[in-house]
Structure formats: structure tokens, C-alpha cells
Amino acid sequence: GDAAPADPRALAPLLRVQDFTEFEAAIPALEASGARTREGWLALPRTLFALGVASADDPALAAGLEAWRRASPDRWEMEMVSGWRQLLLLHTARADDGSLDAPEIPEQPDPALRAAARSAFERAQALSPHSPEPGAALLGVAVMEGAPIADRLAMLAQACAVDRVCESARVVMLTGLDPEHGGNADALLTFARESARAHPGNPNLGLLVGIAHRKAGAVAGDRSAYFQDPRVVDEVDRAYGGYLAAYPTARLHANEYARLACWAGRRDTARRTFETIGDAFRAAAWNGDFREFAGRRHWALAPDPIAVR
């Protein structure tokens, strides 16, 4: 839409100063508006996640979270923030590069903190059975703990029974079908394609196909050969092209698309995407390798590609 993207961290100051009246009014307003972040994902779940990150990092925000619990013990959103805080405790601090704008599953090796997070998400689910977000978070914990694929699919079905689109849960399930989490490339691509077909015209679910190829390419061995398959690159172009047309501020996903275009040898696509990105390097898309980003950008933007290795 034409609305300005929402910043997932915007409510943190209200939590810090414990202004719960304005804070509690702002959260359902996000849900009702369907606001989205710069990366094009729903602002409500990203805000709850970002508040969990912030309260894991900042003792003042952690104190605000506990004061919120005392003031409003039956708020499902509070339980969601609390659950994410448990999963984010002890994590490495991240740069302010927009990395909170897109869904992710954090790693939490401590089983006690995972159990505390699960309990918080279960309370959130009991308090708000109309929302698919607690189910998506619980699915994330199940993926983290290596639950059987069949159990993960059953949890996804529960979330989608609440909300047919169940955007957050589908993104989590994509990670849950990643080979490093016990899945495989065929399952990834089948799930992504089925999700996209079930909701034609939805760029967020369409993007799942591109993300699935990115994950499949990572385990294919020769990524250039994988992405130079015309069937693969055509699906990637439709997925990322449609998404970036809908959400032109999505710099993380633009970085991903630029890298895939380089692997595919699609210099024109890479050039257009790098021109859009400018200097907005997103580490997650390049495995933290700025040198690769700079080298690929130089290749894509150089006037004479033959002269540039």
C-alpha cells in the first residue's frame, strides 16, 4: 500500500517509560491496520519480536516488561514479548540494519529458556485463540528443538485453521523444512509452491518460492549451476520481482535477489537491483561478507563486464 512502513522498534520507548495506556492502544492498532515493515512483513508480529529483542538487551525494558505483566496480566501480546525475550536472552547484539523487519527463528541453546518461551507462547495462545501468531512462535520452538516434521506440519495446520494465510507460520515452516533442520530441498519447494498457489496475488507467499530456492541452492553444491537452470531462475524472478514491486523498501530481500542474480549470471537483473540497493548492504543476505557484496556490485555496475572478473 501507500502507507509508510512501520518500524518494529517504535514502541520500545513507551515500554521503557512504562506508558502502558498509549502502549496498549498502539499494539491492537497495528493489528487492525495491517501495517507492514520496510521489508514488507506484518508489523504486529515483528513489533512483538523486536520488543523481545530489546527487553533481552536492556534492563530498563526488561523492567518495563515485568511492570506491564503486573499491570495487565491477561495481555496475550505481553506473553509474546516475554516468550521472545526468553529466546533472545544471551544472543549476540545486532546492528541496526533493519534485521528486525523480517521473520526469523532465533537460536536458543538453553533448554530452560526454551521451555519458558514455550510456556509464554502457550499462555498467549490461550489468551488469544483468534491470532495465528502464538502458533507460529510455538512452531518456531518446535523447529528449534528438532520436533518431527509431521508434528511441525500439524502445528502449521493449527495456525492456518485460525488464519488461512498464516503468513508468519508459513515462513517459520519454510525454515522447518530446511535441510539443516531435518527437511530437504524437494519438501521446501513443494511447500513454498503450494503456499503460493493457494494464495495467488499474495507477494509474501509468492516470495516463499524464491526463499525456498535460496535454501535449496545452498545445499546444491554449485550454486551458479543451480541458479542458471532456466526453470529455477524464472521462478526466482517471479517471486522476488513480484515481492520487490509490492515492497520497494525491502532492502534485505533486494540484497538476496541481487546475490541470486549474480549466481545466475543475470547481469541486467543484478545491475537494476544493485542500483535500487545503493549502499544498503544487509549482512544476512551475504553471510556477513561485505567483500562479496562489493565485488558482485562492481561486476554488475561495471561498464565493461569482460574487463571485470
Side-chain angles (χ1 to χ4, degrees):
D2 296 328
D7 181 354
R9 288 148 289 206
L11 300 187
L14 296 175
L15 185 60
R16 181 188 301 278
V17 300
Q18 301 183 23
D19 183 351
F20 299 130
T21 300
E22 186 175 348
F23 185 75
E24 290 185 356
I27 291 179
L30 276 178
E31 183 175 29
S33 69
R36 291 184 177 272
T37 69
R38 287 175 298 178
E39 289 297 326
W41 299 101
L42 284 169
L44 174 67
R46 303 279 53 78
T47 293
L48 301 177
F49 178 80
L51 290 172
V53 175
S55 59
D57 283 343
D58 186 337
L61 286 169
L65 179 60
E66 287 309 306
W68 186 23
R69 182 189 302 277
R70 292 190 297 271
S72 304
D74 296 327
R75 294 288 299 215
W76 75 274
E77 306 98 327
M78 180 271 298
E79 295 291 355
M80 291 295 296
V81 174
S82 181
W84 287 125
R85 178 176 182 270
Q86 303 303 319
L87 292 183
L88 271 299
L89 282 170
L90 312 179
H91 78 285
T92 303
R94 62 187 76 199
D96 182 14
D97 64 353
S99 59
L100 299 176
D101 288 358
E104 63 179 278
I105 300 179
E107 296 294 334
Q108 177 51 271
D110 187 320
L113 290 173
R114 290 199 305 268
R118 187 189 307 106
S119 294
F121 295 143
E122 287 172 347
R123 288 192 296 273
Q125 192 171 51
L127 289 166
S128 184
H130 71 279
S131 173
E133 300 306 330
L138 286 166
L139 176 58
V141 176
V143 171
M144 208 180 301
E145 296 194 321
I149 297 290
D151 291 356
R152 302 176 204 177
L153 289 169
M155 296 177 75
L156 173 72
Q158 289 180 337
C160 292
V162 173
D163 171 13
R164 282 187 65 245
V165 177
C166 58
E167 180 181 294
S168 298
R170 288 180 192 272
V171 176
V172 172
M173 192 67 223
L174 205 63
T175 298
L177 293 172
D178 192 302
E180 74 175 79
H181 289 289
N184 59 68
D186 287 342
L188 266 173
L189 289 163
T190 297
F191 172 72
R193 288 166 179 151
E194 288 176 351
S195 294
R197 275 198 301 269
H199 299 274
N202 183 316
N204 296 75
L205 299 191
L207 182 64
L208 299 188
V209 177
I211 295 173
H213 276 301
R214 186 164 54 84
K215 291 175 178 290
V219 296
D222 185 342
R223 294 190 203 195
S224 292
Y226 180 86
F227 285 102
Q228 286 172 18
D229 181 329
R231 296 166 299 178
V232 171
V233 78
D234 286 350
E235 280 199 308
V236 166
D237 283 342
R238 283 196 300 273
Y240 275 95
Y243 195 85
L244 294 172
Y247 306 115
T249 57
R251 291 296 180 261
L252 170 64
H253 296 310
N255 273 255
E256 293 169 355
Y257 188 30
R259 196 181 190 199
L260 301 185
C262 290
W263 282 329
R266 298 289 181 100
R267 186 170 178 269
D268 287 347
T269 300
R271 182 179 64 250
R272 288 194 302 270
T273 310
F274 275 115
E275 286 172 349
T276 297
I277 292 169
D279 294 327
F281 169 71
R282 294 291 182 264
W286 301 88
N287 293 340
D289 189 347
F290 181 78
R291 291 182 64 184
E292 182 188 355
F293 169 82
R296 300 284 194 185
R297 182 174 62 176
H298 184 53
W299 169 77
L301 300 179
D304 182 2
I306 297 174
V308 180
R309 297 270 312 201

